[in-house]
Amino acid sequence: NAGVIQTPRHKVTGKGQEATLWCEPISGHSAVFWYRQTIVQGLEFLTYFRNQAPIDDSGMPKERFSAQMPNQSHSTLKIQSTQPQDSAVYLCASSIGLGEDTQYFGPGTRLLVL
Amino acid sequence: QQQVRQSPQSLTVWEGETAILNCSYENSAFDYFPWYQQFPGEGPALLIAIRSVSDKKEDGRFTIFFNKREKKLSLHITDSQPGDSATYFCAANQGGSAKLIFGEGTKLTVSS
């Protein structure tokens, strides 16, 4: 079991460019989560999917951020017109189900916006 | 508004000592509290968790003490080892919602 896979591990973009982050959840897991980690804000929930359907996107910035899960084997987080304040580690997690089921985190994608 | 708070921000203990990490929360609807351990360059990994119906959860050298009335919990790491040096996050979850609300983290350093 390879765990949650996130690609790329590091990404550098220029201000105004688009960034797409990829996540492959653990096989058989029905829930996929996205979190963002920064020194200032800590670990913040962004959004999650259950059986590929978006369930809660209450943590997503209203503009420029979008997430999709086109199939059970991958999810993407897209940031349009990136800004320096978007620089963070973006973490993907998956779990078998919801509630108290353990969320298994990937290693994260470190995004740097210059 | 920080719903889950942790203290201290950083903690240094000697090898063999007991490290005590504190956590408090505001939302009385929270009923599940996992603690995650994170090493540099890695994602957080579940260490131990407790439900609000319990007041203590033990797993080897790691013990959570939970006080529902005061909305406080603590993680005790006995016989601390250098390999325990990491950042520890207290998180909370409300039944019916899958998202985790994390505290700011405590960076633990165990010196030998």
Side-chain angles (χ1 to χ4, degrees):
Chain A
N1 192 333
V4 175
I5 299 172
Q6 291 191 249
T7 54
R9 290 294 311 276
H10 303 272
K11 186 173 182 66
V12 181
T13 67
K15 181 180 176 180
Q17 292 185 329
E18 182 177 287
T20 300
L21 313 179
W22 293 71
C23 170
E24 181 179 332
I26 294 172
S27 178
H29 284 194
S30 70
V32 172
F33 302 81
W34 285 96
Y35 293 86
R36 176 169 64 180
Q37 185 171 26
T38 62
I39 297 295
V40 175
Q41 297 295 330
L43 267 161
E44 302 174 283
F45 166 81
L46 295 176
T47 186
Y48 83 92
F49 298 82
R50 175 79 190 278
N51 293 326
Q52 301 171 228
I55 303 299
D56 183 347
D57 66 353
S58 59
M60 291 279 274
K62 298 307 177 188
E63 298 179 354
R64 302 186 295 106
F65 283 65
S66 63
Q68 295 182 335
M69 191 161 185
N71 57 60
Q72 64 183 8
S73 64
H74 89 272
S75 174
T76 58
L77 180 67
K78 183 179 293 185
I79 308 171
Q80 296 179 314
S81 185
T82 54
Q83 303 297 310
Q85 61 265 31
D86 299 331
S87 298
V89 175
Y90 289 84
L91 292 159
C92 177
S94 71
S95 62
I96 292 175
L98 299 178
E100 297 176 10
D101 284 349
T102 300
Q103 293 185 23
Y104 295 87
F105 283 81
T109 294
R110 183 175 295 275
L111 175 66
L112 177 62
V113 182
L114 301 176
Chain B
Q1 180 187 4
Q2 188 70 31
Q3 295 192 62
V4 178
R5 292 192 174 276
Q6 290 185 247
S7 64
Q9 187 174 10
S10 62
L11 176 66
T12 299
V13 299
W14 291 105
E15 182 176 357
E17 291 186 333
T18 296
I20 300 176
L21 289 66
N22 301 301
C23 178
S24 64
Y25 62 97
E26 298 179 359
N27 189 342
S28 57
F30 289 153
D31 57 7
Y32 176 66
F33 302 89
W35 284 80
Y36 279 79
Q37 179 188 55
Q38 186 177 32
F39 295 104
E42 299 181 9
L46 179 67
L47 183 65
I48 186 173
I50 192 167
R51 299 174 63 200
S52 60
V53 294
S54 302
D55 56 13
K56 180 181 177 181
K57 179 70 177 293
E58 196 168 354
D59 184 358
R61 297 186 294 109
F62 303 91
T63 302
I64 300 174
F65 293 93
F66 180 69
N67 185 322
K68 187 173 183 177
R69 182 179 62 83
E70 295 187 4
K71 298 181 186 175
K72 293 182 178 180
L73 55 163
S74 60
L75 174 67
H76 292 225
I77 304 174
T78 59
D79 188 24
S80 296
Q81 301 297 309
D84 296 331
S85 297
T87 299
Y88 293 80
F89 291 95
C90 172
N93 169 282
Q94 177 182 343
S97 172
K99 68 182 182 184
L100 293 175
I101 308 299
F102 285 89
E104 311 97 319
T106 294
K107 184 176 181 180
L108 174 66
T109 301
V110 181
S111 299
S112 57

